[in-house]
Each structure stands twice: as structure tokens, then as C-alpha cells.
Amino acid sequence: MPWHAHGSARRLTAWTVTLVAAFTLLAAAPARAADPQSVTVTFTQVGDWYETTGGPGVPNQYRVDVTAADGTAVTGLAVRVYIDGQASGFADPVGTVMDAVTPVVTGVNDVSVQFYGLPGTYAVGSATAQVVALPATVPAQVTFSVPPTAPAESTTTIPVDVAAGGAPAAGSISAVYGGGASTGVEVALVDGHADLPVYFGPVGTSQIAIAYSGGAGAQPVTTEAQPTTVTTATLRVLAQPVVAGVPVVGAAVSAQVADAINGVAGQSIWDRQPDRVDYQWIVGGVSVAGATNPDYVVPASAIGKSIQVRMTAHLQNYFDSTLTSGPSAAVRDSDTQVQVQGHVQGVGWQPWTTSGAMVGTTGRSLRLEAFHVRLANAAYTGGITASVHVQGLGWMAPVTDGGVVGTTGRGLPIEAVKLQLTGEMATHFSLWYRVHVSGIGWMGWGEDGGPAGTEGLGDQVEALDVRLLPKGDPVPPSTASRGQYVGGRPPDVSSWISNRAHVQSIGWQPWTAGGTTIGTTGRGLRMEAVQFQIGDADYTGGITASAHVQTLGWMAPVAAGGIVGTTGKGLRLEALKVQLTGDMATHFDVYYRAHVQGFGWLGWAANGQPAGSAGYGYRMEALQVRLVDKGDAAPAGNGMPAFEQH
């Protein structure tokens, strides 16, 4: 049973053991007789042990005094102590309960011993001590020199030599930074020498000292610090930027790493990750104002010119690093075309035309009865859907990619038209179209699914003009004195709402009828603001909206025509609330949904509910708004919630 002492138990407070220790002191040791001598080891209790509830107690503390026969302290020795005994009432001996080897420098050391067992009184059988000679230690001399200057965040190897008593010292060294604030890697000495790696941090003055841990015959020491001026460093260039993508009008090109194009995974341009990278797109040698994003949509004005991108990396403690890509191939006009073929009263099917050429007739009062419309040489996936309002039939079902839109052989005129791109084509291009109507002439341009023409007036469409333009390009010129659509209540009342978005790197997009997508998808561009209008509605009232904006939170509601969000601040739109007012709110519900970074299309919100996200730091990228009769079912959704709160 282990020996146990309790705070209330009787104990022997001092043991004295005298023995003869034969040892020889090293030449460098303090002056002592070299012949055998008597050494007295005294153990004196200086602290009590007591139990604590639920755990071990505090150990007894014993002072160990080692003296020579002449009464002087013995230095340069180690004391190994054994205590053997047996507890009263227990048959098992204690065994060794204290076994400590402690260098004795002053002759006095406290040795801490922890005992375990049951409360009781114990008798000590014997205590023995063994005195072992230790080599004497002498001060060490450390020689080193830090460089006068060093680049920020760099590691430099400096030579260090350590000697003791004129001979190379053993042991190890490490660097101490800023007066001991942090310590570097420990390196072992070989024949008193080591090449020590020293890390230099941010720009400024760095204080470097060397800590020597001590070895046989040598005392530990930490040197005085030496200063080094840490200077601004230079980023190392690993690869060059390139313009990735096909430089055609309407396509998006992007800044990428040359080796990434060649299939080297994980390659970066610089050896360290910058805090920020600025982009500037250059067309024909001239920087494009506002073109400062990682990608760039090629405009028609760039035809025949090359494109470059300039990238500038910013990182604290480093000089800015600016690289400019080589030029791309000359920009060419998009090969993508819209082809249209019209069926005209008394004429039949006309030849196919390409974008910009009308089908039908003007000045002859001949009705346009049907048409085909399709894409040729599409730069992206997707196609065209078309639907028409036919006299006596109303709006017909949409037709896709070249099918017959309208009727033939029935003498029925087309009165209004809707055309819309699908797939990736809708992301990169807009479809503009206008109609020539009897009694009116050319009307305004419709866009991306909005109606163009008339309804309920008995006027026939006589000609159709279709244009395919890169997303964000201005509306084609027009001299029309009427809007793109005139009529009573449309089959889709969403067309009473017009909206447009202010998008990163694009700016304000054209106005579109409600129900169409504003913003972008698949391009990683943030929406920054939106505007809403209500026009040609059968009811009074209006529309208000409020935005949740990066760092600003929910902003105050804005009436029709006002800017919902911000422009010119680079702040992302994160969520929206849209609400009808007046008679419009009495007769209709307004539904809206957001396309959000990390989520895609969320579900539909209605009548002032939030749509989008908050707390994630995610950008809203696109928006759809629909108007439905009061109480009618919501538009078909995807089962996602309308709002995600983190």
C-alpha cells in the first residue's frame, strides 16, 4: 500500500542521512576538496499534504540540504533520494516514494513529493541519499550578426557560433523576436555552430536575439537583441494573365492565368494571395471606363480591335504588382443571327431574312398572317420562343425555334407579337422587335417577351422587324410616336409592370415588361438597384419596393419610378420587398422571386414579403416579377423558400 500522509497525522519532520560519497570534481568546478568526504543530506518538511474532495491532494514539500563534513554547502552535484517505509497497520512496504534528481547549485533545493493512500499514521522505515558529481558550468559566448535590412515576411538564414570555456559548445539555439514576444524554431549546434532560420515579419524594425539552451559545461544565455530594418517586399510572378474566351460581340471574356488555361490546376499569378486584385479592361489600347471586373462583355464598338486586361495586386507589406495580358485576336461581329420568314396576304411565304431586315410589307395594306423565326450559328445554347395574338383567336400557344407562328390559309391577321430567347442565349443577348400596324405605322420596340402590337383594336400587323443585340446594348433607334403595345387588358397583366435593373459592370439595363427576367444569371454579377413602373393599367394605384443592401440593411420603401437600392457605391442588393397600392392592391397580387448567389432561383414571395437572403453576404443576381388576379394561384415554383435568413 503506498505511503500516505494526512494533514492531521503525525509525521517525521526531518530525516538525516550521513554517507561517504567518493567523487572527483571537474577542473572547472568551484573549489572543493578532491578527496573522499562525508556528505550530510537533510530532508526537512516545509509543507503539509491534505486531501481534497473527489481528487488527489496537495503534496508534501521537503527541503533537501546537502552539506559537507566541514559544514559548507556542496555545489555542482545532483541528489538522488530514496525513501522506504511501511504504513502502520499495512503489510505492504511503501517502496520508493521519492525519486528526484535535482542539480544542486546553492546547496538548498525544494523537492516536491506527492503521496497517495488512505488516511492514517505511517512510520518511515529508512531514507537514503546518493550524491552524484555533475560537471561544472561556465558562461557561453554567442556570436551572430543579423542583416541590416530584410524583405518583409521573409526567412533568412544567419550563422551562429557558441563557445564555452574557449571550446565549441553543445546544445541548441533559437531566435527570440521583439524582446521575447515569440520564439522561432530550435536548431541543434554541431561543433558549436548552426545556421539559424530567422523570420522577418511586417515592415518596420525587427529585434532579434539568440537564446542558447545550454549544454554540457555551458550555462544557458539569451543575447542582447540586434535590430533589422524590414523593408517592403516584392511579389514574385509565377504566371501571366491572359484574356480567356472568344472575342466576339456579345460574348463574355475573362481574366485568367495562362497556366490555368493550359490545364495546370491551382496555378496562381503571384506567389502569395493578394488582399485585392484590381482589373482594367483595355480595348484597342485604350482603357474602358468602368470596365473593372474580372470579366467583360464585348460590345459592338470593339469590332476590329484587340482586348487586353491589366491586373494589379495589392498586399500589405508588398509593393503593388501590375501585369498586362497580351492582346486577344481582333474582335469580330457575332456569327449568331436571327432568321425570319414571313407569310403575307396575297404573297405567301417570303424569302428568309437575317437580323435587321423586316418581313411583311409596308404601304400595301397587306396583313402578316404567320412567320418562322430561328437562330443561326448560335454562340451559346438556347433558342427562340414566339407567340402571337391573332384576330378572333387571341394569344396562341408559344412556338419554338422555327415553327409556324400564326395561321395560314385562314385569312386571319396577326395583331401582336411576343419573342423571347431561352437558355444561355438569354444571358448574353437581348431580342428586340417592333411591328408595323395598319393605321398606326411603326410602333416602339418590344424586348425579351414583352408584347408588341395592339389588342382589341382590330388593327393588323403588316410587317415585323427583329434585332439581336448583346445584353446591355442600347435600344435600337426608333421614330415611333406610339409605344410598343396598345390594347385593353393583356392576357398577361404582368405587362402592366415595367422594371429594369442596375447591374455590376453593365449599369442600367433596358426597361422590360413584368414577367421577364432582369439582371443576369451565370455571370456572377451583383444587382445593385431596380426600378419599377406601372403603366396602361385598368386600375388606379401604384407599386412600392424596399431593398436590403450590403452594409445598409433594409432601406425605406420607394414609390414607382424611384431607385430601389444604390448605384455608384458597389453595394450588392441582397433582398427585396414589393407591394401594390390603391386599387391595384385590391384586384391583384404581386409575386416576385430572386436569383441569389449560392442558392439559384428561390421561391416566390408576394405582397411585401421578403425575397432573397440576409446575413449570408450573398448577392442578388436576377429578379422576376409577376402580377396575378387577386387570390389566383402563385406562379409555378421550385419548392424553395422565398427568403433565406442566416
Side-chain angles (χ1 to χ4, degrees), residues 533-553:
Q533 289 182 344
I534 289 185
D536 296 329
D538 291 345
Y539 302 93
T540 61
I543 188 169
T544 65
S546 59
H548 189 283
V549 177
Q550 172 188 355
T551 74
L552 301 180

Side-chain angles (χ1 to χ4, degrees), residues 432-450:
W432 294 89
Y433 42 94
R434 62 177 181 167
V435 292
H436 188 280
V437 176
S438 60
I440 296 177
W442 283 111
M443 300 185 69
W445 291 97
E447 181 200 13
D448 293 339

